[in-house]
Amino acid sequence: MTQILPADKAGVTQAATLLRAGAVVAFGTETVYGLGADATNAEAVAAIFHAKQRPRLNPLICHYGSARQAFEQVVADARALRAAAAFWPGPLTLVLPRRPQCSVALLTGAGLDTLAVRVPRHPVALALLQAVDRPIAAPSANRSGQVSPTSARHVMDGLAGRIAAVLDSGPCEVGIESTVLDLSGTTPVLLRPGGITPEALEACLGPIGPAAVSGAAPRSPGLMLSHYAPRLPVRLNADAVADDEAVLAFGPPLPGGCCRFQLSASGDSIEAAARLFEGLRRLDADGARLGASRIAVMSIPEAGLGLAINDRLQRAAAPRTG
Ligand code: TXA
Ligand code: MG
């Protein structure tokens, strides 16, 4: 049963309590409804992907109640401070380098060294974020492949029974997603057109990277992202393990290997998704120390989040270019 919570004080408090407990809760923003979970809790974030039936573990936007809270977790340079002063709260997402002490789970950012952050301007969303007092990861609150929802009814049409609650704050004012601007490199790059126009951004920041303003057709996020890949080569579907391999295990582990990281002893795909990027990083580090030649990954069934996990692992195992 999915509860529909009113956008009053009691509703906001209840939504915040659910989020702090690790539940998935949809909430309205000025752009579209988001499917929220505690961004610091990898299992809660995995449950977002499960609810959306998303075939990929894409990096998600982290929502904060204030710019100050966001900039405690990512490094803001002068451009980021200027953009935040001009457009936050509002429909702009900034991609910035994670700070070493960043508390956001690796799964939220798909293992990348950067994190997408935004402060929405919808008063109910802001009240919720302030009540939760943790970063909230939230993609649009629709099933994968369906259009983004701009009302609580749309959310229920796609996700009723799959999530704990939806906080009904009425129809969304902007109706399209936030603009995603990458400020992690020397030139600002527009990754996704959205609620803030390129003209407004350029007026604030000066020229935006070539892909941006000229790019009427946005490149696919999957292609343009330099997805996290481990340093060690990756071998998939291992059914036996050599002594010089670092093992990413799923279910009862294979014997052998120089070190091992267990994704889920019980073979649970939500737990495994939550631990995937942690596991790849750990095996990279332990494997390098122990002289491993590669990471061997046990096979993961294509059930539940298995599809999304395998998509990521296939990218990690793909032949390296450059
Ligand atoms: O308006 C919005 O932005 C809505 C509301 C709920 O806030 N959220 C939303 O989230 O659209 P999502 O997860 O559907 O879109 C996230 C976008 C994707 O295009 C993703 O590739 C990009 O942001 N993104 C996230 N983290 C990134 C990163 N570290 N580097 C580059 N792109 C990133
Ligand atoms: Mg979406």
Side-chain angles (χ1 to χ4, degrees), residues 14 23 44 60 79-80 85 93 179 247 271 288 292 302 307 309:
Q14 203 179 337
L60 304 178
R79 300 169 305 177
T93 295
T179 300
V247 186
E271 184 187 18
E302 299 260 306
L307 210 69
I309 294 170

Side-chain angles (χ1 to χ4, degrees), residues 31-32 34 54 59-61 63 95 112 114-116 118 138-140 177-178 180 191-192 221 225:
T31 59
V32 300
R54 212 178 228 198
L60 304 178
I61 296 171
H63 297 69
V95 173
L112 299 173
T114 55
L115 194 65
R118 130 170 157 87
S140 54
E177 286 92 342
S178 62
V180 180
L191 296 182
R192 181 177 74 182
L225 284 174

Side-chain angles (χ1 to χ4, degrees), residues 32 52 54 139-143 146-149 177 192:
V32 300
K52 278 183 77 93
R54 212 178 228 198
S140 54
N142 50 277
R143 285 210 198 196
Q146 297 180 349
V147 297
S148 296
E177 286 92 342
R192 181 177 74 182

Side-chain angles (χ1 to χ4, degrees), residues 2 36 128 194 201:
T2 299
L128 177 65
L201 286 176

Side-chain angles (χ1 to χ4, degrees), residues 217-243:
R219 292 176 292 169
S220 124
L223 291 177
M224 68 193 175
L225 284 174
S226 52
H227 286 306
Y228 176 75
R231 282 184 297 269
L232 288 173
V234 176
R235 179 169 79 86
L236 300 179
N237 297 318
D239 49 18
V241 174
D243 288 342

Side-chain angles (χ1 to χ4, degrees), residues 8-241:
D8 56 15
K9 200 154 188 290
V12 168
T13 302
Q14 203 179 337
T17 303
L18 285 166
L19 285 166
R20 290 182 68 94
V24 176
V25 176
F27 63 100
T29 77
E30 74 279 17
T31 59
V32 300
Y33 272 70
L35 194 55
D38 177 355
T40 67
N41 176 343
E43 288 227 17
V45 173
I48 294 178
F49 292 109
H50 185 70
K52 278 183 77 93
Q53 300 187 303
R54 212 178 228 198
R56 286 189 182 160
L57 303 178
N58 293 333
L60 304 178
I61 296 171
C62 264
H63 297 69
Y64 292 86
S66 70
R68 186 186 52 77
Q69 287 169 314
F71 294 155
E72 281 168 8
Q73 308 233 306
V74 291
V75 182
D77 60 10
R79 300 169 305 177
L81 295 176
R82 208 165 339 129
F87 302 110
W88 281 358
L92 176 67
T93 295
L94 299 176
V95 173
L96 294 166
R98 287 172 73 110
R99 287 187 189 276
Q101 75 272 24
C102 181
S103 65
V104 171
L106 284 177
L107 177 65
T108 308
L112 299 173
D113 295 326
T114 55
L115 194 65
V117 297
R118 130 170 157 87
V119 179
R121 74 165 174 240
H122 194 296
V124 176
L126 281 176
L128 177 65
L129 291 164
Q130 277 146 17
V132 177
D133 197 28
R134 288 183 201 162
I136 295 299
S140 54
N142 50 277
R143 285 210 198 196
S144 194
Q146 297 180 349
V147 297
S148 296
T150 52
S151 72
R153 168 71 11 227
H154 294 168
V155 175
M156 289 299 279
D157 287 347
L159 295 170
R162 299 187 65 83
I163 59 176
V166 49
L167 182 61
D168 184 355
S169 54
C172 300
E173 168 206 344
V174 177
I176 56 165
E177 286 92 342
S178 62
T179 300
V180 180
L181 183 69
D182 185 351
L183 290 180
S184 65
T186 42
T187 310
V189 176
L190 184 65
L191 296 182
R192 181 177 74 182
I196 302 287
T197 63
E199 292 75 15
L201 286 176
E202 292 208 313
C204 174
L205 296 174
I208 305 225
V213 183
S214 59
R219 292 176 292 169
S220 124
L223 291 177
M224 68 193 175
L225 284 174
S226 52
H227 286 306
Y228 176 75
R231 282 184 297 269
L232 288 173
V234 176
R235 179 169 79 86
L236 300 179
N237 297 318
D239 49 18
V241 174

